[in-house]
Amino acid sequence: MAPQGRQEILEGAMAVAHAVARCRPEVIAAYPITPQTHISEELSTIVADGELQAEFVKVESEFGAASVCLGASAAGARAYTATSSQGLMLMAEVLWNIAGMRLPVVLACANRSVSAPLSIWCDHQDADSIRDCGVIQLHAEDAQEAVDQHVIAFKAAEDRRVLLPVMVNLDGFLLTHVFEPVELPDQALCDAFLGKYEALYKLDPGDPMSFGCFTEPDKCMEGRWMIHDACLRSAAVIEEVSAAFARTFGRNSGGLLEEYKSADADTVLVAKGSICGTIKDVVDELRDKGRRVGLVRIKTFRPFPRDRIVAAVRGAKRITVVEKGGSFGSGGVVTPELKDALYDAGLRIPVSGFCVQLGGREVAPDGIQEIIDRVEKGEQVHYEYFRLKKAILPDLVP
Amino acid sequence: MEFKYDERVLKPGYTSCLGCGEALAMRLVAQACGPNSIFTNCTGCSEIFTSRYPASSWAAPWIHSLFENSAAVASGVYYALKHKGRMPQVNVIGTGGDGGTADIGLQCLSGAMERGDDILYVCWDNEAYMNTGVQRSGLTPLDADTTTSPAGKASYGNDRPKKDLPMIMAAHGIPYVGVASMGYYRELAPMVKRILQIRGPKFLQVHVVCPLGWKSDPAKSAELARLAFETGLYPLYEIIRGETKPHRPPKDGWRPVEEYLKPQGRFRHLFRAGNAAERITRIQALAAANIRKFYGPDAVPQFAKDAEAKLAEAAKATA
Ligand SMILES: Cc1ncc(C[n+]2csc(CCOP(=O)(O)OP(=O)(O)O)c2C)c(N)n1
Ligand code: SF4
Ligand SMILES: [Mg+2]
């Protein structure tokens, strides 16, 4: 039975740091970048105070952080890092390698815009742009979920059916720097839930093996397929681990999707991250007025929960993806993946994609409502920068 | 045979070129470290010629991650073992070529050294990016012809002298910096065993001949490496806790740089007709400076002083 925990008012990043500490990583390597910094600062304090027996490695860069985690994980240690934006970009090469070598490193991404133009504020272009590298991506809506998803992340990553890195996304500032009531996972429960990490393969003179050999064309594809396959199959593990987490800790923080009043909705919004809080408020308000609106929230973006999303939206008359990212020269990131899943399911539900909140631009409830009003009037857009301020664009832009 | 394979560390059958200095030095160093070691490897020749999946020449635990993060991966291994109470019983050995170490991997290496991580990092200095086809690196010597610093009608090859990586490492204040050579391969094993007694970050650079990249006789790699030292072009020394100990000077005195340059195709253009003699004078002056730095002004041979004087005169004339 889930115990009654104690809620505290904590800053999101601090709460994450304390949750991570309760997962007892053995090696932590992180480098400062706003808005992630409070996570690693707090972790270094926890280690400095002797509250956590871990090696806090003062690396020279995020590239170094990820590489230290890679080496530590390969040597059999539970390893953790946290970053944002430019830092994630600098890690990208290592992340591919961590996933390819099937090392269950856990990291947090405090989501932030990627330069240029330089912006420290939140969007999802950092996380979206590493979606293809074999890193499992969880997305939190609030600080509590960010906390809980870390516990789930370690458990799922280290599951021998998975053995892939897991990245917990929490919106920069919106979650990292806001004080919220949070219940930290109980240490004893956390210990029992995670257990000690025992690597399947590790660098060990007692049982020597080679990591990172190169392959010829006759074998490389199979290695890549194994990553793909493990990532796909991790969906079931994430659900299993999330259910176990809910039983142990009494909170439903994990899983692949959240279906919020979407079952009978004509208009279904699809989104991930903290904006879902705003969307839910708008849904509630419109529901009070009798409008059949709902939200399907993506909690696990990689693996992409195709079947679950299709099942969740198949009754809708129209679907609207609200994205904090996109792919320049193409369109959205989530939108096309959703369309792909619908197409294969034989569903021709109109889908619109709206890009909002790039570089931290605020979208208040009235913005969400405007999007809903427009699509309900029959408008369908492929991918639109919502409320773009055309007036401030330079003259040479047509 | 004095240099038998220790099959607990490295098995024979790897696919390096004939006369490859990197292969020889790597084996001698790795075997001196012994099976109770964990090796990390940059992308590069040594990685490729030992690790074609599903075979691996490595019998000791070994990991290759990326081109530029061998030092950071070694740090990660070190911290994992430290946490598990297994340091310093296990040797953590980072390795990489000159490119992976001095250029693209310098940041990770600097981080590991500055943090005081108890690892030994060994750089195989064959003076170019060999694995990708002999491109110039920061450790390519002055005037060497490489595929990205080609000699041509308007070029004498690489237009910069070698980056002084050992001194950069020494500036980190680490307890050990060493420069060794495959030319003195018998010295490698005892040296490594001594180094491994030192706690803290240790850096060793080993000069290794690449017959393919240097266009030299594969049967004469060790001889050529010795000439690099004996001409003063590649000083060998150790800096142990801040104290510099130069290698004993060549028995038969310092030799003119031509003896080292001439047998190598990468310097062939310096011996063609034209005004290349001035380039050799310049290289001789570099050797003179090295000899002076490590053995004092009296050690500089007359022919090297003459080269310096000639250069100084030429500089005055153009001024
Ligand atoms: C980030 C990155 N850039 C470039 C390469 C291509 N690359 C692989 S090995 C190599 C050169 C290796 O040179 P060096 O480190 O001197 O080792 P050597 O092969 O000479 O032993 C290069 C350029 C790479 N693998 N990764
Ligand atoms: S190219 Fe040079 S370094 Fe590479 S294997 Fe051949 S001889 Fe050795
Ligand atoms: Mg090289």
Side-chain angles (χ1 to χ4, degrees):
Chain A
M1 203 40 239
Q4 263 320 102
R6 191 169 56 91
Q7 277 198 337
E8 304 163 67
I9 306 293
L10 290 174
E11 191 206 47
M14 299 268 186
V16 163
H18 284 274
V20 168
R22 289 175 191 206
C23 297
R24 299 194 196 274
E26 297 165 275
V27 176
I28 301 164
Y31 191 81
I33 181 167
T34 304
Q36 169 282 126
T37 313
H38 289 184
I39 299 176
S40 45
E41 283 176 350
E42 187 66 7
L43 273 168
S44 68
T45 304
I46 293 169
V47 173
D49 287 341
E51 288 167 30
L52 171 69
Q53 303 297 315
E55 311 300 321
F56 188 93
V57 187
K58 299 157 195 77
V59 283
E60 83 303 326
S61 70
E62 290 88 350
F63 181 85
S67 299
V68 164
C69 286
L70 183 152
S73 184
R78 185 174 283 166
Y80 178 77
T81 185
T83 190
S84 289
S85 172
Q86 313 305 129
L88 191 71
M89 297 299 102
L90 201 53
M91 281 185 185
E93 190 192 12
V94 193
L95 292 175
W96 279 83
N97 206 247
I98 289 173
M101 281 203 260
R102 308 296 300 276
L103 299 170
V105 173
V106 170
L107 67 152
C109 179
N111 302 107
R112 161 181 155 179
S113 193
V114 180
S115 188
L118 180 64
S119 164
I120 59 168
W121 306 103
C122 176
D123 63 45
H124 287 177
Q125 288 199 285
D126 52 3
D128 288 352
S129 67
I130 60 134
R131 65 177 187 181
D132 299 334
C133 72
V135 175
I136 290 170
Q137 286 201 36
L138 310 180
H139 280 265
E141 180 182 332
D142 54 27
Q144 184 67 60
E145 270 194 1
V147 158
D148 295 344
Q149 285 183 358
H150 271 85
V151 184
I152 291 166
F154 280 106
K155 182 83 175 164
E158 292 169 7
D159 189 294
R160 293 195 173 171
R161 294 166 291 177
V162 177
L163 293 180
L164 284 172
V166 179
M167 180 165 94
V168 178
N169 290 282
L170 66 158
D171 285 342
F173 291 107
L174 301 169
L175 297 187
T176 53
H177 285 55
V178 169
F179 283 76
E180 289 182 45
V182 175
E183 186 182 328
L184 291 174
D186 175 74
Q187 183 66 71
L189 287 181
C190 221
D191 286 343
F193 188 73
L194 290 179
K196 224 178 123 41
Y197 171 52
E198 293 293 343
L200 178 59
Y201 301 114
K202 63 170 185 281
L203 293 165
D204 179 7
D207 181 17
M209 51 185 82
S210 295
F211 280 63
C213 295
F214 79 94
T215 50
E216 299 286 4
D218 65 331
K219 297 196 180 64
C220 185
M221 247 176 111
E222 285 66 28
R224 308 305 287 169
W225 178 84
M226 286 169 70
I227 304 168
H228 178 54
D229 180 59
C231 197
L232 285 178
R233 286 191 295 118
S234 72
V237 178
I238 291 165
E239 293 206 282
E240 187 186 303
V241 168
S242 301
F245 182 90
R247 283 195 303 279
T248 309
F249 296 91
R251 287 186 299 275
N252 227 326
S253 296
L256 304 176
L257 287 184
E258 182 194 8
E259 298 174 46
Y260 187 81
K261 303 188 179 176
S262 58
D264 65 342
D266 295 329
T267 303
V268 170
L269 276 69
V270 175
K272 55 183 165 76
S274 65
I275 197 172
C276 293
T278 309
I279 295 176
K280 284 176 182 173
D281 289 345
V282 175
V283 166
D284 289 347
E285 224 169 273
L286 295 181
R287 281 274 170 182
D288 286 345
K289 293 178 187 152
R291 286 166 69 174
R292 283 147 63 112
V293 183
L295 165 72
V296 170
R297 174 162 72 95
I298 295 173
K299 296 169 92 172
T300 301
F301 178 51
R302 278 293 178 280
F304 190 67
R306 286 167 63 86
D307 299 345
R308 286 287 315 280
I309 293 195
V310 167
V313 302
R314 68 179 317 133
K317 294 207 170 79
R318 64 198 74 81
I319 302 166
T320 302
V321 183
V322 180
E323 301 215 37
K324 287 187 173 189
S327 175
F328 302 127
S330 172
V333 172
V334 180
T335 312
E337 295 205 29
L338 174 67
K339 284 183 183 169
D340 167 60
L342 291 173
Y343 185 90
D344 282 356
L347 295 170
R348 293 303 309 268
I349 307 167
V351 177
S352 291
F354 286 89
C355 172
V356 303
Q357 281 193 334
L358 287 194
R361 170 85 47 92
E362 201 199 344
V363 174
D366 73 292
I368 302 297
Q369 174 146 9
E370 182 185 323
I371 288 171
I372 295 170
D373 290 343
R374 279 173 57 189
V375 295
E376 289 196 341
K377 276 191 199 116
E379 206 180 327
Q380 186 185 344
V381 306
H382 170 252
Y383 176 70
E384 175 185 307
Y385 272 51
F386 182 62
R387 289 186 176 170
L388 190 70
K389 292 186 193 167
K390 291 228 168 79
I392 66 168
L393 297 174
D395 291 343
L396 67 176
V397 178
Chain B
M1 247 290 275
E2 193 183 349
F3 295 105
K4 275 211 317 254
Y5 277 85
D6 180 347
E7 296 203 22
R8 299 168 308 161
V9 179
L10 255 177
K11 288 169 283 186
Y14 43 80
T15 55
S16 53
C17 313
L18 218 60
C20 172
E22 184 160 314
L24 176 74
M26 186 187 71
R27 182 161 68 79
L28 296 176
V29 168
Q31 290 184 178
C33 295
N36 196 33
S37 308
I38 296 175
F39 297 90
T40 74
N41 212 146
C42 288
T43 310
C45 272
S46 60
E47 170 257 331
I48 292 295
F49 66 61
T50 57
S51 76
R52 176 203 250 143
Y53 180 84
S56 168
S57 305
W58 291 91
W62 176 89
I63 183 168
H64 157 250
S65 169
L66 300 169
F67 185 23
E68 67 275 42
N69 68 355
S70 178
V73 173
S75 291
V77 171
Y78 158 70
Y79 283 103
L81 297 188
K82 177 171 177 251
H83 188 78
K84 291 173 190 294
R86 299 189 59 191
M87 286 302 292
Q89 302 91 301
V90 177
N91 304 312
V92 180
I93 315 293
T95 71
D98 48 298
T101 304
D103 291 344
I104 198 167
L106 185 60
Q107 178 177 312
C108 284
L109 178 62
S110 175
M113 297 293 117
E114 165 271 315
R115 277 193 303 270
D117 300 352
D118 189 2
I119 64 172
L120 165 62
Y121 189 95
V122 191
C123 169
W124 318 117
D125 181 16
N126 57 18
E127 307 193 313
Y129 301 147
M130 295 311 177
N131 185 52
T132 40
V134 200
Q135 295 86 20
R136 173 214 187 266
S137 84
L139 298 197
T140 299
L142 183 67
D143 287 349
D145 173 59
T146 73
T147 54
T148 52
S149 64
K153 286 201 181 96
S155 158
Y156 290 108
N158 188 44
D159 60 356
R160 297 284 303 155
K162 269 177 98 75
K163 163 155 69 176
D164 197 346
L165 179 62
M167 286 302 168
I168 296 172
M169 291 298 104
H172 286 71
I174 58 178
Y176 182 89
V177 173
V179 186
S181 168
M182 69 161 289
Y184 301 92
Y185 49 86
R186 282 195 176 81
E187 295 173 7
L188 283 175
M191 189 174 181
V192 167
K193 287 189 174 133
R194 252 193 309 113
I195 298 171
L196 289 174
Q197 301 308 310
I198 300 169
R199 299 275 60 85
K202 303 163 279 284
F203 175 80
L204 176 64
Q205 180 169 306
V206 188
H207 196 213
V208 291
V209 175
C210 167
L212 182 121
W214 297 13
K215 302 186 186 73
S216 60
D217 181 353
K220 299 215 167 115
S221 290
E223 203 174 297
L224 191 57
R226 280 196 296 277
L227 276 169
F229 171 68
E230 289 168 350
T231 52
L233 281 176
Y234 206 100
L236 305 178
Y237 57 92
E238 294 181 287
I239 306 175
I240 305 171
R241 296 201 178 79
E243 199 188 317
T244 306
K245 296 185 174 166
H247 192 278
R248 68 184 138 62
K251 238 187 4 262
D252 304 321
W254 300 100
R255 313 177 80 86
V257 293
E258 285 94 332
E259 290 187 26
Y260 172 63
L261 303 175
K262 210 160 192 177
Q264 302 182 54
R266 62 175 174 161
F267 296 114
R268 185 180 300 132
H269 55 287
L270 300 183
F271 295 92
R272 290 202 189 109
N275 60 351
E278 191 258 346
R279 304 300 301 182
I280 295 177
T281 307
R282 203 173 281 274
I283 295 172
Q284 185 62 70
L286 286 178
N290 286 334
I291 296 167
R292 184 175 296 108
K293 178 172 173 188
F294 288 97
Y295 301 90
D298 296 344
V300 182
Q302 193 54 46
F303 61 81
K305 285 185 191 153
D306 292 347
E308 284 181 313
K310 221 192 233 174
L311 262 192
E313 227 165 85
K316 233 188 269 161
T318 49

